[in-house]
DNA sequence: CCCCAGGCCGCGC
DNA sequence: GCGCGGCATGGG
């Protein structure tokens, strides 16, 4: 176990060599998403195919609902219709408004960025994966994201994934505390997962 | 027609 | 602290 897990960084290097550097968060319209868009994506992708999330993101962008302020201002009914393609749309509309309100209560997004993890986890609709996605990809903080792809990946290495926190500790304790590395490794794992399950692009 | 997708909440136990 | 049903759309 120790030998296998100690080589986690080598698994990273293998993926990097095979796939090349990935976008840190799915790139849309040819450029990297803004911080709030990452938060929105993290909520909308909960148990949902990213393709459906993109449709919802397109709707939000077309309607210029691209900030926490605009997300609070729009009616719940309208917001529901915009995010509808991503599924669970009533829940997700609520979660977006809740998160927007929460972030704005910090004043600026930059102030929000220093939030304690356990505080962000208290927000209704923000579970461990959504939380760490926001912390890593929107706040630039060194928290390794554990999602279904990550669990599949460690299983492919011959480990049984433990609970979320244990798995996160597993990654974080065996990798240099490096935000860029965490982002890249996670993106590579997602790419790995998509290639493995892809039947058709 | 059935299964799945980058979860999370609320409940019962 | 863990297991389970509910939440909903779109693609294979």
């Amino acid at each position: 176990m120790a030998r296998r897990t100690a080589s986690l960084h080598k698994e990273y290097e293998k993926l990097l060599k095979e796939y090349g550097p990935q976008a840190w968060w799915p790139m849309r319209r040819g450029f990297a998403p803004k911080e709030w868009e990452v938060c929105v994506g993290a909520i909308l992708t909960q148990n949902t195919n990213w393709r459906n999330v993109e449709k919802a993101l397109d709707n939000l962008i077309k309607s210029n609902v691209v900030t926490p302020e605009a997300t609070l201002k729009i009616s719940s009914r309208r917001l529901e219709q915009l995010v509808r393609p991503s599924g669970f749309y009533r829940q997700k509309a609520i979660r977006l408004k809740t998160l927007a309100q929460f972030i704005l209560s910090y004043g600026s997004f930059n102030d929000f960025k220093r939030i304690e993890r356990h505080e962000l986890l208290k927000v209704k609709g923000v579970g461990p994966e959504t939380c760490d996605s926001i912390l890593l990809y929107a706040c630039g903080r060194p928290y390794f994201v554990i999602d279904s792809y990550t669990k599949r990946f460690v299983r492919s290495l011959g480990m049984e994934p433990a609970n979320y926190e244990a798995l996160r500790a597993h990654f974080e304790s065996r990798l240099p505390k490096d935000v860029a590395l965490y982002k890249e490794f996670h993106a590579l794992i997602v790419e790995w997962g998509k290639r493995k399950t892809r039947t058709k692009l």
Side-chain angles (χ1 to χ4, degrees):
Chain A
M1 174 87 146
R3 227 159 48 77
R4 183 163 55 215
T5 53
S7 63
L8 197 54
H9 194 272
K10 289 194 175 157
E11 297 297 333
Y12 163 72
E13 288 173 344
K14 267 164 62 179
L15 286 177
L16 182 59
K17 188 171 183 184
E18 190 170 350
Y19 300 155
Q22 305 294 306
W24 286 351
W25 186 262
M27 299 254 282
R28 306 181 60 265
R29 308 179 312 288
F31 52 89
K34 299 239 187 275
E35 292 147 338
W36 174 245
E37 185 177 332
V38 172
C39 297
V40 173
I43 297 279
L44 295 186
T45 197
Q46 290 171 358
N47 199 37
T48 301
N49 193 304
W50 184 259
R51 294 180 70 158
N52 287 7
V53 175
E54 286 195 315
K55 296 177 200 297
L57 289 173
D58 285 340
N59 289 342
L60 291 168
I61 290 163
K62 275 184 208 147
S63 298
N64 203 30
V65 184
V66 294
T67 60
E69 290 86 348
T71 304
L72 282 178
K73 201 172 291 179
I74 193 173
S75 74
S76 297
R77 199 81 64 192
R78 278 256 291 145
L79 186 58
E80 285 179 359
Q81 293 314 309
L82 294 177
V83 303
R84 185 168 189 155
S86 72
F88 308 125
Y89 62 92
R90 295 187 191 90
Q91 277 191 358
K92 285 175 179 175
I94 294 168
R95 290 177 184 180
L96 289 179
K97 280 194 178 269
T98 303
L99 183 60
Q101 178 71 59
F102 183 78
I103 289 174
L104 286 181
S105 76
Y106 280 75
S108 69
F109 202 97
N110 273 341
D111 290 330
F112 163 73
K113 282 183 179 174
R114 298 179 321 189
I115 187 174
E116 294 286 332
R117 184 174 186 273
H118 73 272
E119 292 296 331
L120 182 52
L121 275 174
K122 286 183 194 166
V123 177
K124 196 193 276 189
V126 176
E129 190 208 323
T130 306
C131 176
D132 292 331
S133 294
I134 291 171
L135 289 174
L136 180 64
Y137 289 100
C139 302
R141 304 265 301 277
Y143 291 92
F144 204 89
V145 177
I146 307 299
D147 57 21
S148 60
Y149 290 129
T150 317
K151 289 171 190 160
R152 257 178 263 166
F153 179 71
V154 299
R155 218 175 278 127
S156 81
L157 298 179
M159 296 174 44
E160 260 319 294
N163 66 45
Y164 188 97
E165 289 305 323
L167 199 46
R168 184 169 70 82
H170 178 87
F171 275 83
E172 293 180 6
S173 66
R174 281 159 229 276
L175 295 170
K177 209 180 191 64
D178 179 338
V179 169
L181 172 66
Y182 285 13
K183 289 179 177 179
E184 188 60 46
F185 198 1
H186 178 248
L188 286 164
I189 289 171
V190 171
E191 179 61 20
W192 171 89
K194 288 188 171 168
R195 291 193 190 205
K196 287 215 77 167
T197 62
R198 179 173 302 160
T199 54
K200 194 184 194 179
L201 186 67

